[in-house]
Amino acid sequence: MNTSDIFSLAYRTVRSNKLRTGLTVAIIAFGIMALVGIITAIKAMNQKFTESFSTMGANGFTIRFKERQVHFGGGGRSNLKVAKKGSRKEKTSNLGKPITIDQADEFRKYYTFPATTGISVFVNRNTIVSYDTKKTTPNVLMIGADENYLLLNGFKLSGGRNMNQTDVQSARNVCLLGHDVANRLFKDNINRSVNSIIRVNDIPYRVLGLLASRGSSFGFSRDNVVILGYKNIDRNFSNNVSSYTVAVMTDDIRTVSEAMGEAEGTFRAIRKLNTTEDNNFILDRNDAIVEKAMKSLGFLTISATVIGLITLIGAAIGLMNIMLVSVTERTKEVGLIKAIGGKSKLVRRQFLLEAIIISLLGALFGILLGVAVGNLFSIVLKTGFVVPWNWVIYGIVICTIVGLLAGLYPALKAGRLNPIEALRYE
C-alpha cells in the first residue's frame, strides 16, 4: 500500500462515521472559530482606529487637563497627590483646576513656534437641536471650537462655510451642523440647513456650514454633533464646561518634539508652576494615542489566543478519545490488514491521517465561521471586509499539530496490536 492508498482508506473511514466525525469536527471548529473570530474583530477595530486617528495627523499634539489622581495606600487611607496646606506649592500650583478659557487664549497669544493652534471644549452629550417643529433626541454632542478646529480634527464641509476668526472672537450665535443632526432636521434637503436659524437648547443660532459625514466609531456617531464658537460657549453655556483643550499642528513631523518642548515651557508659565513642581497638564501626541489604543488591543489578542488554545486542548482530548474508541471498534480490521501483509507503520499512518483529516476539517469550518462572525463586527464598525491571513495559516498549522498529537497514541496502540489476537477479538 502506498501513501495515496492509505489516505484514501483513511478518508473513507472518516466519511463512513458521519456522526462521530461531525461531533469532533464541531468541537475543533468552535475552538478555531473563537480564535479566528476574535482576531478578525480585533483587526477590524485596528482598522477603525487607524481610520479614526489618521485624519488628525502624526504631526500634531494636544494639551489637556491632568486630573487629580487618588491612590490608596497603607492603612486603607486614601492619599491625594496634592500639596500640603500652607506650603509654597499650594499657593502657586493650579493642581486640580481645569484649563480655563483665559489660559487657553494666553497660550495662543504667547506661543511663538510656527504652528497652527486651536482651542476646543466638549460641553455635553445632552444637547437638543430643533428647527420649526422638528427636534433631535437629547443626545447631540455640543462642541466649542475655533476656526482651526476642522483642520486640526480632519473635518470637511459639504456645504456652506467654516467659522472665521471674527465669528469666534465676537461670540456670534453661529454654528456648524453634523450630518446626522442636519438629516434629522432637514431630511428632505439637508443642504437647506445652511443659513437656516435653528435652536440649540432653545437658543437661536444661524447655521454657517454643514459637516461632511464621517460615520460611526465604536457605536458613537461622529456626525451627531453641533459645533459652536468657544467664546459663544463661554457666554451661553459656561456652567456646562469642564476644561478647555489646546491642539497644535506643526508643518513638519520632525519639529513636533521641539514644538512640544516650547509648548510645555509656555504653558507652565501660564499655569504658574515653579521649577520644582510637576506638570499639572498633559501633552499627548496624536500618534501616541493610536499607539496606546493598539497596545490595548494587543492584550485582547493575547486573551483571544489563550481562549482559543484552551478550547483546542479540549478538542484534542475529545479527538484522542474518539480515536481510541475507533481503535477498539476496528481491532478485527487491523488484525486483517496485518494478516494479509500490512505493516505496523502503515496502520499507524492510517490512524494518524484520520486524526489529521478530522482536525483539518474542523480548521476549515472554524476559519470560515470565525471570519464570518468577526466581520459582523466590522459591519457594525463600518470598515472593510477583514481576513486575518496570518491567523488563517496559524489555525491550519495548529489543527494539524492537534491532529498529530491526538492521533499519535491511538496510532501507536493500533500498530502494536497482535494480528492473531486482533482477529479473535469480539
Side-chain angles (χ1 to χ4, degrees):
M1 293 176 69
N2 54 33
T3 304
S4 61
D5 293 331
I6 297 172
F7 179 82
S8 178
L9 182 60
Y11 178 73
R12 284 200 302 270
T13 304
V14 168
R15 192 174 60 179
S16 63
N17 294 283
K18 291 183 176 61
L19 180 59
R20 182 187 300 165
T21 300
L23 290 174
T24 313
V25 166
I27 295 171
I28 297 172
F30 278 115
I32 291 294
M33 182 187 73
L35 182 61
V36 175
I38 297 174
I39 296 296
T40 304
I42 290 172
K43 192 168 182 179
M45 292 172 69
N46 272 327
Q47 186 172 312
K48 193 63 178 181
F49 268 131
T50 304
E51 291 174 0
S52 298
F53 289 105
S54 61
T55 55
M56 296 172 63
N59 57 330
F61 62 92
T62 57
I63 304 172
R64 59 181 177 85
F65 168 53
K66 182 178 182 179
E67 295 184 2
R68 189 189 313 237
Q69 295 180 347
V70 180
H71 296 272
F72 295 93
R77 295 179 300 176
S78 64
N79 301 310
L80 288 174
K81 284 191 173 181
V82 295
K84 293 182 180 179
K85 188 175 182 180
S87 69
R88 185 180 178 185
K89 286 189 177 183
E90 186 188 58
K91 294 177 182 178
T92 59
S93 173
N94 288 320
L95 185 64
K97 295 181 181 179
I99 297 173
T100 64
I101 186 172
D102 293 332
Q103 291 172 345
D105 282 333
E106 277 189 73
F107 177 84
R108 293 191 74 178
K109 180 180 178 181
Y110 294 112
Y111 186 61
T112 58
F113 194 89
T116 303
T117 58
I119 298 172
S120 62
V121 61
F122 291 96
V123 185
N124 59 55
R125 286 188 176 274
N126 303 313
T127 304
I128 298 176
V129 183
S130 58
Y131 174 74
D132 289 342
T133 59
K134 297 179 182 178
K135 62 171 61 177
T136 65
T137 54
N139 66 342
V140 177
L141 174 62
M142 186 193 302
I143 300 173
D146 61 8
E147 66 278 6
N148 293 328
Y149 184 81
L150 302 190
L151 172 65
L152 294 171
N153 291 272
F155 282 95
K156 293 183 180 179
L157 289 172
S158 63
R161 68 171 178 88
N162 188 19
M163 292 184 291
N164 57 37
Q165 190 173 12
T166 303
D167 295 325
V168 176
Q169 296 303 320
S170 61
R172 290 177 180 171
N173 280 23
V174 294
C175 68
L176 303 175
L177 274 189
H179 184 271
D180 285 356
V181 180
N183 189 56
R184 173 81 176 180
L185 301 179
F186 304 90
K187 186 171 290 187
D188 53 338
N189 185 9
I190 62 174
N191 290 321
R192 190 164 57 89
S193 62
V194 177
N195 288 325
S196 297
I197 302 297
I198 64 170
R199 302 185 74 84
V200 179
N201 283 356
D202 288 331
I203 299 176
Y205 283 83
R206 181 176 295 278
V207 179
L208 292 180
L210 177 63
L211 301 176
S213 178
R214 295 184 68 186
S216 298
S217 180
F218 303 102
F220 295 100
S221 173
R222 292 179 290 175
D223 299 323
N224 198 34
V225 297
V226 57
I227 301 176
L228 316 178
Y230 74 94
K231 292 280 189 180
N232 184 275
I233 290 287
D234 183 59
R235 187 182 69 184
N236 294 333
F237 303 99
S238 58
N239 292 334
N240 297 323
V241 171
S242 56
S243 179
Y244 286 79
T245 300
V246 180
V248 181
M249 185 172 68
T250 63
D251 296 329
D252 191 339
I253 191 172
R254 292 171 293 184
T255 63
V256 174
S257 297
E258 185 182 350
M260 290 180 72
E262 186 168 327
E264 182 178 7
T266 303
F267 210 63
R268 281 182 64 86
I270 292 170
R271 296 281 276 183
K272 296 182 174 60
L273 299 173
N274 61 42
T275 55
T276 62
E277 292 177 299
D278 293 332
N279 290 341
N280 56 9
F281 56 91
I282 296 174
L283 281 80
D284 273 333
R285 284 190 65 156
N286 293 345
D287 54 358
I289 297 172
V290 181
E291 186 179 344
K292 289 177 183 177
M294 297 303 181
K295 285 183 179 178
S296 299
L297 292 181
F299 290 112
L300 290 177
T301 304
I302 294 171
S303 302
T305 305
V306 171
I307 292 170
L309 290 177
I310 291 172
T311 308
L312 286 175
I313 289 171
I317 294 171
L319 178 57
M320 183 182 291
N321 285 333
I322 287 175
M323 293 305 297
L324 285 172
V325 170
S326 180
V327 171
T328 303
E329 290 181 347
R330 293 158 57 194
T331 301
K332 271 193 172 184
E333 177 189 328
V334 173
L336 181 60
I337 291 172
K338 285 191 170 185
I340 60 176
K343 295 181 180 179
S344 296
K345 65 179 182 180
L346 297 178
V347 175
R348 288 196 296 269
R349 285 180 189 174
Q350 180 184 342
F351 278 87
L352 274 176
L353 279 173
E354 287 179 21
I356 292 172
I357 289 170
I358 292 173
S359 292
L360 289 178
L361 285 173
L364 175 63
F365 288 110
I367 289 168
L368 292 175
L369 288 171
V371 171
V373 171
N375 275 285
L376 291 176
F377 195 72
S378 69
I379 292 172
V380 173
L381 296 180
K382 295 183 179 178
T383 61
F385 189 79
V386 177
V387 179
W389 290 109
N390 54 337
W391 280 96
V392 169
I393 296 171
Y394 294 157
I396 293 171
V397 172
I398 289 170
C399 283
T400 303
I401 294 171
V402 166
L404 280 171
L405 295 177
L408 187 60
Y409 177 67
L412 291 173
K413 183 178 179 181
R416 286 198 297 263
L417 287 174
N418 185 297
I420 298 174
E421 293 180 0
L423 286 169
R424 295 171 57 189
Y425 183 81
E426 293 296 336

